[in-house]
Amino acid sequence: MAKALGVGVIGCGNISKTYFSLAPLFRGMEMRACADLNAEAARARAREFSLRAETVDGLLRADDIDIVVNLTVPTAHHEVSKAILDAGKHVYSEKPFVLSLADGLDLKKRADEKGLRIGSAPDTFLGGAHQLARYLVDGGKLGRITSGTCHVLSHGMEAWHPNPDFFFRAGGGPVLDMGPYYLANLVQLIGPVARVAALTSIPATERTITSRPRRGEKIPVSTPTTIHALLEFATGAVVTFNASWDVWASGHAPMELHGEAGTLFMPDPNFFGGELCYTRRDKPVKKLPKWEHPLARDNEIHPHGAVANYRAAGLADMALAIAEGRPHRCGLDLALHVVEVMTGMLKSGEDRRFIEMKTSCERPAPLGPREAKALLARMK
């Protein structure tokens, strides 16, 4: 068995706890150290998970660290990932990978020159629900995919996040924050996007925080919070993508795919599991039985009930892919293409024109039950 790769984390905020908690489920890697500009935050996480606290520079120099996970805020993703690559280490970034195509291409060039890997969240499309959708699509159950819809609708983060400011500035907004989950799933199901068009708006130029401790404070909004986009895929399929933080309630399904032979209703791609429904031509819609897939099993309790959460699956797949000499599923080309699609939507909203994509990518390999089981160190 290949030696486990050493993993360090830069950025010890809320999401770091998820990675540290779930990483032990997987084989091929070992969490060893963490760092943060706030040294106390790093020490606290290190104590909580029996890790080594480092400075950022110390982590980048550490001989026992092979992969560094970039969990900083999105505006820092490019600079931090660049420093990781320049230090000779592989990068796995939280979403969004970067905030511009130019920054992504810069990281690609640096990684290629040093023979290093780049991976990026989201990895939720590796979950059992979305891989069952992939199995059905690849098996021709829907026939040729002709169209689809995606809806990610809510009323923003100011009701629950203690410091929601960055969500409403450039680099934030529902497309860059939530879009990666939906777009990565669409690409793994249908393939790359050829061009996009969008209408964007800022219905409320100011938000009032209703969460603690800043309840009542007003914050400005400088990035679009309602986006209606059209995606034309290289296959010819057309998909409507609707993202908004100006909606109080909605009855739309998170994702639907329509094919010549049927329709598939999919759960929220922000989660690994969920319910799928399917109809064959004009037959009644039926709920599909849960697939016997390791990454579909509920393992956490959320406010809305039990969910399957296996974040770090993409990181584990990358670690094993490095050892096995194969492509990893949450790869650079996929992440870069998703970034171009998202920024293309926002650019289209500004210019009121179609934006042609310059990047493309292969669909990542499917992760069926057998492949998923091979990622796991132990079952929960």
Side-chain angles (χ1 to χ4, degrees), residues 187 192-193 332-341 357 359-361:
V187 172
V193 176
L332 169 61
D333 289 345
L334 171 62
L336 191 60
H337 185 60
V338 166
V339 166
E340 188 185 17
V341 173
M357 298 295 98
T359 65
S360 186
C361 65

Side-chain angles (χ1 to χ4, degrees), residues 33-45:
C34 61
D36 195 286
L37 290 178
N38 179 346
E40 180 49 41
R43 287 193 290 268
R45 279 288 184 255

